[in-house]
Amino acid sequence: MRPAVERANNMDEKRKVMLSGIQPSGDLTLGSYLGAIKTWAERAEQFDCYYFMADLHSLTSRQVPADLRRRTLEQMAQYVACGLDPDKNTLFIQSHVPAHAELGWILNCYTMFGELSRMTQFKEKSAKNADNVNGGLFTYPALMAADILLYQPDYVPVGGDQKQHVELTRDVAHRFNGIYGDVFKIPEPYIPKVGARVMDLLEPTKKMSKSDKTGNGRVCLMDDPADIMRKFKRAVTDSDTGENCVRYDPENKPGVANLMQIYASCTGRDYDQITAEFAGHGYGDFKAAVGEAVVETLRPIREESQRLIKDKAYLEDLCRTGAEKASYVANKTLRKVRKKVGLVAMP
Ligand code: ATP
Ligand code: LTN
């Protein structure tokens, strides 16, 4: 691939921009990897990509400070270990680019109380944490709109649960552009149609999630092999004992379908091949094979993450370079916005 500077200098070539973030509010899971980061890593040749750790968003629920710090840096190391090349992608920590907080405040003033009140995530999270329904949780979508609009992206890859926030971002951008002229590009949500949706191993009708407290239904990127094998051995299947009990039927056999999907993602085999491979075998053999495939998929990621986490100088350099690259683009948009709304330029 040609160097970034050379590409940027070629005025004929306008690459589409893509941006996404994950809150460091829990340890990244196999779901985060197969459903998001793995697919991000495959796009670097085609798009200009920005990926960040949404640490400011994590403050909307109470965090243990040392854990938040550890998970944020660990997430940076994991992004790289999962294949996001820092020379081809802009990787950064949200709070290292103050433009996010500043534009977040400005966009708060262009986002309506009624709009924020309709957000499903706000309703769900405030019902779940009734003792901490704070202002940040309510205005979260305005900060998310700032995260996005600062970089003028074409696409924002997110899970289905975040689509409403990207739609609100579009509404806010339209409103702002309507008043001040074309300041923001209107981004599209990018929701992979056939992307993996990895389910909880113990409750296969529920998404595997990093903020799940129980831990045994989810596999984290940093789990050691013995833990991974134990979790897969305990994974819920069903009482089918037939010759072809390993077959893809998500409606009637959600546990088996989930394991097949994970096995398919890790080995590249399709469902028919997997059914043939396990014909005549019971679930014990199948679950052990899925566990082993996951262990081998995650092993290089875990080892590389551990190596990077220990290399403090490298990680710091990564954070600094990422924040500098991101700030350059973000500040350009912020300067324009400040001028449009009437803030005095800093002398
Ligand atoms: P939380 O528990 O904090 O809500 P989460 O584990 O559900 O977090 P998100 O931070 O909401 O994950 O998601 C980050 C990205 O990872 C999104 O693009 C989302 O679609 C993807 N993702 C997360 N979990 C899964 C999963 N189980 N299967 C597929 N994709 C997933
Ligand atoms: N709200 C998202 C995380 C997030 C995000 C963003 C995603 C914060 N800012 C900007 C895409 C673009 C979540 O909870 N998954």
Side-chain angles (χ1 to χ4, degrees), residues 19-23 25 40 52-54 57 94 100 121 125 140 143-148 156-159 161-162 165-166 207 210:
L19 165 138
S20 197
I22 299 183
Q23 292 188 54
S25 52
W40 296 353
F52 61 97
M53 336 296 137
H57 279 97
Q94 181 191 27
H100 288 244
Q121 179 174 292
K125 290 208 171 171
Y140 180 116
L143 179 58
M144 182 158 160
D147 298 338
I148 297 171
V156 183
V158 283
D161 60 326
Q162 296 297 314
H165 291 160
V166 180
K207 195 185 87 164
K210 65 176 144 54

Side-chain angles (χ1 to χ4, degrees), residues 76 92 128 255 297 328:
M76 175 65 106
F92 63 101
K128 242 202 228 163
T297 300
Y328 178 79

